[in-house]
Amino acid sequence: MLLNLHSYYSLRHGTLSLDELLEGMLANGYDTAVLTDINNSTGSIDFIRKGQQAGLNILAGMEFRQDDTCCFVAIAQNERGFSEINAYRTQLNLENAKVPLQAPEFKEVFIIYPLRLMGSFALKDYEYIGIRPSERSKAILMDKQLLSKAVILAPVTFRTADHTFHRQLRAIDHNLLISQLSDEQVAPVDEVFVPKARLMKIYADLPQLLNNTHRLLAQCRFQMDFQSVKNKATFTGNRYNDKQLLLKYTGDGFEHRYAKNDPVARERIARELEIIEQLNFSSYFLITDDICRYARHRDYHYVGRGSGANSAVAYCLGITDVDPIALKLPFERFLNPKRKSPPDFDVDFSWRDRDDMYDYIFNRYQHGYTALMGAMSTFRSRSILRELGKVYGLPKSEIDRLVHEPEHMLNKNEVTNTILSVYNRMADFPNQRTIHASGVLISEQPLVSYCALDYPPKGLPTMQFDMYVAEEIGFEKFDILSQRGIGHIKDCREIVHANQGITIDTRQPKRFFEDPHIAQQLRSANTIGCFYIESPAMRQLLTKLHCDDYLTLVAASSIIRPGVSSSGMMAAFIQRHHDPSQVVYPHPVFKEQLEETYGVMVYQEDVMKIANAYGGLDMADADVLRRMMSGKYRSKDHLIEIEGKYFDNCRAKGYDEKVSREIWRQMESFAGYSFNKAHSASFAVESYQSLYLKTYFPLEFMVSVLNNYGGFYNRKVYVNEARVAGATICLPCINRSEYQTSIHGSDIYLGFDYMQHVESKQVERLIEERTRNGLYQNLEQFIRRTGTGLEQLIILIRIGAFRSFGSSKKELLWEAHLLLNKHTKASPSAELFESNSRKPVLPPLDSHILEDYYDEMELIGFCVSGTLFDLARSDFRGDVQSRELMDHVGRTVRMVGDFVAEKFVKTKRGELMKFGTFLDIEGKFFDTVHFPPTLAQYPLRGAGIYLIEGKVVQEFGCPSLEVIRCAKMPLKPDPRSI
């Protein structure tokens, strides 16, 4: 009977979740309803799925609005009608077109117009007029012919108590004070659930409306198979050919990855292929392989990672570079017959290449069948208070106080009480549709069969629902990610070839695992710029582990994660790594399964191993258990079933009940924060590829890091790293520099992109003119050829970009002002001065290197000609340097450091402490520990040179300075302002 339900996916309008709508239907006696969210079908499929589980007849539709005006409500007669509605909304989104007052021609859709449009146009057979309860008196006066085209329209938008909340959402949506909302911008107060018996009574004297409404609903049916896979069903056109092609491609790759007669690998491959075919995943593997083949054809570096690295078939295809057999990774972690949710491959590309990968995928797999995965942005924490504060007209100072000091006595008033009363209601409440970071769907059926598509600024069609709904209805997404670490590797290969003429191959990375030079680089934690292993915490962990091999790095990539480290298991792992005799296994199975990790469940796969070997669960059930324990599985009944099976098996084996329960508790606690081993292994492979380049081509590698705009640190750190590696760092130069950083031999020329105030169009003209007509000979010629204006010219002079002309900055500034005079702008070839003009004879002009340092700090952000140490007023550089710390363990020393980074952590008491990272005068790193009392008295205050006094401590060979006191050192005055 309810033709017009709004959920909270009617963004900043509806207030009810899908579950709350279902509860409202049941509580008020309804068994049939249509979800018609405003201009979207985000929740339709999920609502139908939930409704079917609750035994309700749920139908799909959409309310089409233009701004705040309802034009019509569309109700799908069946799945084909739902596709029609979605296709129409998608077309409007694509064209950014307004909703017309009259609906287009539909074939299997009912249309309901608001009463105000009665008589505006002739109604077609499938079109009706909706009569709201508040409009009943008007309907009584309608003639019989019009009544024959009228139905009950009783919209539901909120609960009775939620009207204020609805008004707050509408004010946020319109960016208005709540008092400024007009009636047209807000839903009437009667858009609530009315008990079915009462609704029937309201329309009792209009039996034709009741009959029309029942007849309309009786013609609607919506059935969907939520169990079948919705992805593109085949790659070749039929399943048999898919199976044969996957077998061929896997066989081709097997020859390169494994020994020809390796029986273990052959058995594993055969088992995987059988499961893949059984679950109809051949096309999914082949499509992923196709994407990777295109990348290899384009010479794009990529990394396949995630649970897909548990597959030996994926390894043979070249989707991943992780050997799951060597690492004992179970295929069931990726794909098994009992896994309810589909798996997905994660493939990382350079951020420069991902758009081309998208172009390939969308062109290859057809318009209308391929889309980006959607996501939902929600109201979160402080933003709730700020949004509500604005709609109630609170000044910024009061909003700030409410955000930062919620318990302040001045916050106790009627307005703030109103705001705080809905805070919990708005937490994680849908705010706007957005794009998933990486997911792509490739469908067998047109995607409008499932929802309408948005066309956000990126320009690619995007699903209106998120990955969780996609997973529930049977979609496997393809994760096409981008990261700068991939760009480091790809660009470095190109830079090395250009600078040294050497062609580098970073594929087949197993060879890097045995390289002693790379092992030394890893052991010394000389990893700045390398993916995932460059942060201070990771470098400290590598040092403590004395890490110099692949398996230890794989473990390090997992135990560095917050859950493991904060649980104390990271410390336990390090201790056991150095002294395995300390390991105490709770059961012999732990030694058998987890000896590699000293009895610590480091990986998600470890939970599966113990559940299988100790608890007697098969690997498929063990994977389901892992997912349930980590909160990625919604069926509590299934968890209870598997838990019972686990304990029954333990009793049958005669295990001590207390031991079994303790192991269950450990699995439950570890599963929540442990990391996928295949993920760690994939990260470690990429880390080794970066390490190889940093070890053998350190200068080119740092240029590639700079040109991909860094990683964990800011640019100054990577420039320092290049300098320490032997490079000569050169400021931007009009005759040598490019837009990005370039290298000539061991000279690294910073790019013009470093300069914060130089216009990119000006740089493009500069480079284009230089390429076409040769190097610039003097300032006058430069101005004539490029048309550079005075403001931009001064910036280039101050940074030293014209130093090849042999004149000082001040001489060039005089000349620039003389040449351009009052003309602050010029154009190429402008005759602003005579071609044979003579330079003025200037008196000697004083200059100081400090002026250059300050110019560089202002225009680039840090010193290039020198370091920040050169600006320190004091010549003191510390008692010891970083390389000497291990010789002073236990002693109190003073060090001078250039601030690099800091990290806040909370103690068990809830107090704040901090870890700092600094560079010494030699450009080497050292770390500091600031306990709460010291931090409170001697805080770190951002960038600068610090004098630090502290006690040298060490843990497993990793030194740091426990700070006693510290302070910023004063700098020499800026001579430009004297």
Side-chain angles (χ1 to χ4, degrees):
M1 290 298 294
L2 298 174
L3 305 183
N4 194 201
L5 296 186
H6 298 134
S7 76
Y8 59 16
Y9 292 123
S10 291
L11 299 176
R12 298 176 297 281
H13 187 98
T15 71
L16 298 168
S17 69
L18 300 182
D19 290 333
E20 288 170 333
L21 285 174
L22 292 174
E23 291 167 7
M25 287 179 63
L26 292 168
N28 289 281
Y30 295 97
D31 59 7
T32 301
V34 190
L35 182 67
T36 55
D37 274 319
I38 297 170
N39 291 336
N40 79 89
S41 51
T42 300
S44 296
I45 294 294
D46 205 27
F47 194 49
I48 290 167
R49 183 184 64 82
K50 289 173 178 283
Q52 288 180 2
Q53 292 173 351
L56 298 173
N57 179 32
I58 302 299
L59 302 171
M62 189 181 299
E63 181 174 319
F64 285 83
R65 286 197 179 201
Q66 182 59 45
D67 299 323
D68 294 309
T69 301
C70 174
C71 300
F72 53 88
V73 175
I75 297 174
Q77 296 179 27
N78 48 42
E79 294 85 349
R80 294 183 298 279
F82 185 54
S83 296
E84 284 189 80
I85 294 170
N86 289 329
Y88 180 58
R89 181 67 255 179
T90 299
Q91 189 66 28
L92 292 175
N93 292 341
L94 174 62
E95 297 173 355
N96 195 23
K98 292 184 177 182
V99 179
L101 290 179
Q102 186 172 12
E105 292 281 346
F106 284 120
K107 294 180 180 178
E108 299 183 66
V109 176
F110 290 119
I111 296 297
I112 301 173
Y113 292 105
L115 180 59
R116 62 181 172 77
L117 292 180
M118 183 178 67
S120 300
F121 35 76
L123 297 177
K124 302 180 180 70
D125 290 343
Y126 56 85
E127 294 182 330
Y128 294 85
I129 292 292
I131 308 297
R132 289 170 171 259
S134 61
E135 298 167 336
R136 188 186 64 84
S137 58
K138 296 180 181 178
I140 293 174
L141 303 175
M142 292 168 59
D143 60 42
K144 289 185 178 181
Q145 185 176 357
L146 284 174
L147 277 177
S148 69
K149 300 293 290 181
V151 293
I152 297 170
L153 192 65
V156 175
T157 301
F158 38 75
R159 291 180 296 210
T160 303
D162 276 350
H163 193 251
T164 297
F165 181 32
H166 164 75
R167 286 175 55 81
Q168 291 165 336
L169 291 172
R170 300 307 297 134
I172 291 171
D173 187 51
H174 284 281
N175 195 25
L176 293 172
L177 295 177
I178 197 165
S179 58
Q180 294 175 320
L181 287 171
S182 65
D183 291 343
E184 291 76 22
Q185 294 169 326
V186 180
V189 294
D190 64 352
E191 290 197 2
V192 297
F193 275 110
V194 176
K196 184 175 180 181
R198 191 194 305 169
L199 190 66
M200 297 299 97
K201 190 173 181 180
I202 292 172
Y203 291 93
D205 51 357
L206 290 167
Q208 196 161 4
L209 266 69
L210 289 167
N211 293 336
N212 291 345
T213 306
H214 282 300
R215 189 168 61 250
L216 184 153
L217 289 173
Q219 296 178 67
C220 298
R221 292 284 184 274
F222 201 103
Q223 297 295 323
M224 175 174 280
D225 174 14
F226 292 105
Q227 304 304 315
S228 65
V229 175
K230 304 300 185 298
N231 279 53
K232 184 173 172 59
T234 66
F235 178 74
T236 61
N238 65 75
R239 287 188 59 180
Y240 177 79
N241 286 351
D242 278 5
K243 177 182 176 181
Q244 294 303 114
L245 186 62
L246 183 59
L247 179 64
K248 179 185 184 307
Y249 283 169
T250 304
D252 293 344
F254 187 93
E255 296 179 6
H256 299 287
R257 296 296 203 183
Y258 296 106
K260 187 174 183 180
N261 297 315
D262 186 333
V264 174
R266 288 203 173 276
E267 185 279 329
R268 169 73 176 254
I269 294 292
R271 180 166 58 86
E272 286 193 17
L273 287 171
E274 182 180 349
I275 294 173
I276 291 168
E277 172 60 21
Q278 176 188 342
L279 297 180
N280 194 21
F281 274 98
S282 294
S283 63
Y284 184 76
F285 273 77
L286 287 168
I287 290 171
T288 308
D289 173 68
D290 177 62
I291 292 168
C292 293
R293 284 173 183 267
Y294 174 76
R296 293 195 294 270
H297 169 72
R298 298 280 292 172
D299 198 27
Y300 293 161
H301 187 81
Y302 67 89
V303 171
R305 59 175 177 84
S307 59
N310 288 70
S311 168
V313 170
Y315 180 55
C316 289
L317 293 174
I319 296 171
T320 76
D321 276 320
V322 173
D323 182 352
I325 299 175
L327 290 173
K328 301 177 183 176
L329 300 176
F331 179 61
E332 290 80 2
R333 169 64 181 83
F334 178 62
L335 187 62
N336 67 73
K338 295 183 181 179
R339 181 165 178 168
K340 298 295 183 184
S341 59
D344 53 59
F345 280 113
D346 298 340
V347 188
D348 288 352
F349 295 91
S350 165
W351 59 282
R352 300 178 193 273
D353 301 335
R354 188 167 72 156
D355 284 348
D356 184 57
M357 294 306 304
Y358 276 149
D359 286 344
Y360 174 75
I361 294 167
F362 277 78
N363 290 326
R364 174 77 167 84
Y365 295 100
Q366 291 186 286
H367 175 78
Y369 293 79
T370 308
L372 298 178
M373 176 62 74
M376 188 61 66
S377 171
T378 59
F379 290 104
R380 302 298 295 272
S381 56
R382 295 178 178 180
S383 68
I384 298 172
L385 299 177
R386 294 197 180 280
E387 291 285 2
L388 290 172
K390 284 192 293 184
V391 305
Y392 282 101
L394 294 182
K396 184 178 183 302
S397 59
E398 291 187 26
I399 296 175
D400 288 342
R401 186 178 63 227
L402 187 60
V403 168
H404 299 294
E405 303 175 79
E407 300 303 319
H408 197 288
M409 60 178 294
L410 293 178
N411 289 333
K412 311 301 180 185
N413 56 65
E414 185 178 350
V415 172
T416 54
N417 288 343
T418 301
I419 291 172
L420 293 172
S421 69
V422 296
Y423 178 86
N424 290 334
R425 185 93 165 89
M426 277 187 74
D428 293 323
F429 199 86
N431 182 22
Q432 59 184 10
R433 294 188 303 278
T434 182
I435 306 173
H436 183 272
S438 58
V440 175
L441 295 187
I442 302 174
S443 175
E444 176 68 15
Q445 299 298 324
L447 284 167
V448 292
S449 302
Y450 308 104
C451 72
L453 305 180
D454 289 325
Y455 280 83
K458 196 174 184 68
L460 295 176
T462 303
M463 303 299 287
Q464 289 190 333
F465 55 62
D466 62 24
M467 59 179 286
Y468 302 105
V469 174
E471 183 177 294
E472 292 285 3
I473 67 175
F475 270 112
E476 309 110 29
K477 70 182 188 304
F478 298 83
D479 275 330
I480 309 300
L481 303 106
S482 71
Q483 54 148 284
R484 298 194 185 279
I486 299 291
H488 298 170
I489 295 168
K490 176 180 180 290
D491 289 359
C492 183
R493 295 191 317 224
E494 296 172 357
I495 293 168
V496 168
H497 187 268
N499 193 43
Q500 298 192 39
I502 300 173
T503 300
I504 300 172
D505 183 5
T506 51
R507 290 172 295 184
Q508 304 295 337
K510 272 189 176 181
R511 57 200 165 98
F512 302 149
F513 303 164
E514 310 300 325
D515 188 312
H517 299 291
I518 297 176
Q520 174 56 32
Q521 192 92 340
L522 188 58
R523 190 183 306 115
S524 63
N526 187 5
T527 56
I528 300 298
C530 297
F531 173 74
Y532 205 71
I533 55 173
E534 64 166 336
S535 71
M538 192 64 178
R539 292 174 60 251
Q540 290 171 28
L541 178 58
L542 295 176
T543 303
K544 291 174 184 177
L545 288 172
H546 302 172
C547 178
D548 60 3
D549 65 272
Y550 176 63
L551 288 180
T552 305
L553 182 57
V554 173
S557 297
S558 183
I559 64 175
I560 192 66
R561 291 172 66 81
V564 183
S565 58
S566 63
S567 71
M569 295 316 298
M570 183 170 80
F573 182 91
I574 297 170
Q575 290 169 353
R576 296 175 187 185
H577 179 71
H578 288 288
D579 185 5
S581 65
Q582 292 186 13
V583 180
V584 177
Y585 297 104
H587 188 276
V589 164
F590 274 69
K591 179 174 175 60
E592 176 188 321
Q593 297 293 328
L594 304 182
E595 189 171 14
E596 176 190 316
T597 56
Y598 316 109
V600 177
M601 289 189 209
V602 170
Y603 310 111
Q604 292 173 352
E605 288 86 350
D606 294 341
V607 175
M608 295 174 62
K609 288 178 183 178
I610 297 303
N612 169 251
Y614 179 86
L617 302 178
D618 63 36
M619 289 301 283
D621 274 341
D623 180 57
V624 173
L625 176 65
R626 173 199 63 78
R627 287 177 60 78
M628 289 175 180
M629 287 178 163
S630 60
K632 296 181 178 179
Y633 201 90
R634 300 182 182 183
S635 174
K636 292 182 180 179
D637 292 340
H638 203 169
L639 176 60
I640 293 170
E641 176 190 334
I642 292 181
E643 183 178 3
K645 193 183 296 186
Y646 166 86
F647 282 107
D648 287 345
N649 292 343
C650 291
R651 293 185 194 102
K653 292 182 178 185
Y655 293 157
D656 185 304
E657 183 79 10
K658 288 184 178 178
V659 174
S660 297
R661 292 207 171 274
E662 171 58 19
I663 290 173
W664 177 270
R665 185 198 66 77
Q666 287 187 22
M667 289 194 299
E668 200 165 26
S669 62
F670 287 138
Y673 60 69
S674 56
F675 202 30
N676 173 1
K677 185 177 183 180
H679 213 75
S680 292
S682 301
F683 277 8
V685 165
E686 186 177 342
S687 298
Y688 260 95
Q689 290 170 320
S690 295
L691 269 171
Y692 161 69
L693 296 171
K694 183 176 174 65
T695 301
Y696 290 100
F697 308 97
L699 304 190
E700 289 87 353
F701 180 71
M702 294 320 301
V703 171
S704 71
V705 172
L706 290 167
N707 284 344
N708 281 274
Y709 303 104
F712 183 87
Y713 304 98
N714 61 39
R715 282 178 157 185
K716 180 179 80 170
V717 174
Y718 299 113
V719 169
N720 171 76
E721 192 72 6
R723 183 184 284 117
V724 169
T728 300
I729 309 298
C730 305
L731 288 160
C733 171
I734 57 160
N735 279 330
R736 300 298 298 273
S737 292
E738 305 294 333
Y739 183 75
Q740 289 196 307
T741 299
S742 55
I743 183 169
H744 306 276
S746 62
D747 293 337
I748 292 177
Y749 282 83
L750 299 184
F752 288 106
D753 59 340
Y754 269 68
M755 299 184 63
Q756 300 171 12
H757 305 291
V758 171
E759 298 169 359
S760 58
K761 289 184 179 179
Q762 176 64 47
V763 173
E764 290 172 10
R765 279 201 303 271
L766 182 163
I767 295 172
E768 184 181 330
E769 167 62 23
R770 186 183 70 199
T771 303
R772 190 168 52 240
N773 294 313
L775 300 181
Y776 300 105
Q777 303 300 320
N778 54 57
L779 189 64
E780 178 181 335
Q781 185 203 57
F782 174 83
I783 296 171
R784 183 182 296 114
R785 288 169 59 182
T786 64
T788 303
L790 185 59
E791 181 181 336
Q792 294 286 290
L793 196 62
I794 289 171
I795 294 171
L796 290 169
I797 292 171
R798 286 178 58 204
I799 206 61
F802 297 100
R803 59 189 179 275
S804 60
F805 295 167
S807 300
S808 71
K809 288 183 183 181
K810 291 182 179 177
E811 289 171 337
L812 289 168
L813 287 170
W814 272 98
E815 185 178 355
H817 280 88
L818 179 67
L819 291 170
L820 288 174
N821 197 6
K822 297 179 181 179
H823 301 277
T824 57
K825 292 184 178 181
S827 57
S829 302
E831 294 298 330
L832 301 177
F833 33 75
E834 294 181 10
S835 59
N836 296 318
S837 61
R838 292 184 298 173
K839 290 184 180 181
V841 178
L842 299 172
L845 299 171
D846 291 335
S847 62
H848 197 289
I849 188 64
L850 287 180
E851 294 177 318
D852 293 338
Y853 294 162
Y854 275 104
D855 275 340
E856 291 162 20
M857 289 178 65
E858 178 185 339
L859 298 174
I860 288 183
F862 56 90
C863 288
V864 176
S865 301
T867 69
L868 200 56
F869 291 96
D870 297 318
L871 279 167
R873 189 173 294 174
S874 169
D875 292 332
F876 182 67
R877 296 295 178 261
D879 302 325
V880 297
Q881 303 306 323
S882 175
R883 57 183 166 77
E884 303 169 305
L885 280 175
M886 284 300 291
D887 299 329
H888 293 78
V889 172
R891 300 177 189 171
T892 297
V893 300
R894 292 182 302 165
M895 298 187 72
V896 175
D898 184 358
F899 175 84
V900 170
E902 63 184 2
K903 179 184 178 182
F904 274 109
V905 295
K906 278 190 176 181
T907 66
K908 291 181 179 179
R909 294 181 179 181
E911 298 175 303
L912 286 178
M913 63 179 294
K914 187 180 285 188
F915 295 97
T917 303
F918 295 83
L919 290 170
D920 67 15
I921 184 65
E922 296 174 347
K924 301 295 184 180
F925 290 88
F926 68 92
D927 300 301
T928 58
V929 182
H930 305 251
F931 290 110
T934 304
L935 183 61
Q937 191 172 0
Y938 301 103
L940 292 178
R941 301 187 184 279
I945 297 289
Y946 286 78
L947 175 59
I948 308 165
E949 182 178 73
K951 180 182 177 182
V952 181
V953 297
Q954 69 88 25
E955 186 177 17
F956 298 109
C958 180
S960 59
L961 201 62
E962 283 187 2
V963 176
I964 298 171
R965 54 182 177 170
C966 68
K968 265 191 183 181
M969 296 176 68
L971 302 181
K972 295 171 183 174
D974 184 349
R976 302 173 308 172
S977 58
I978 296 175

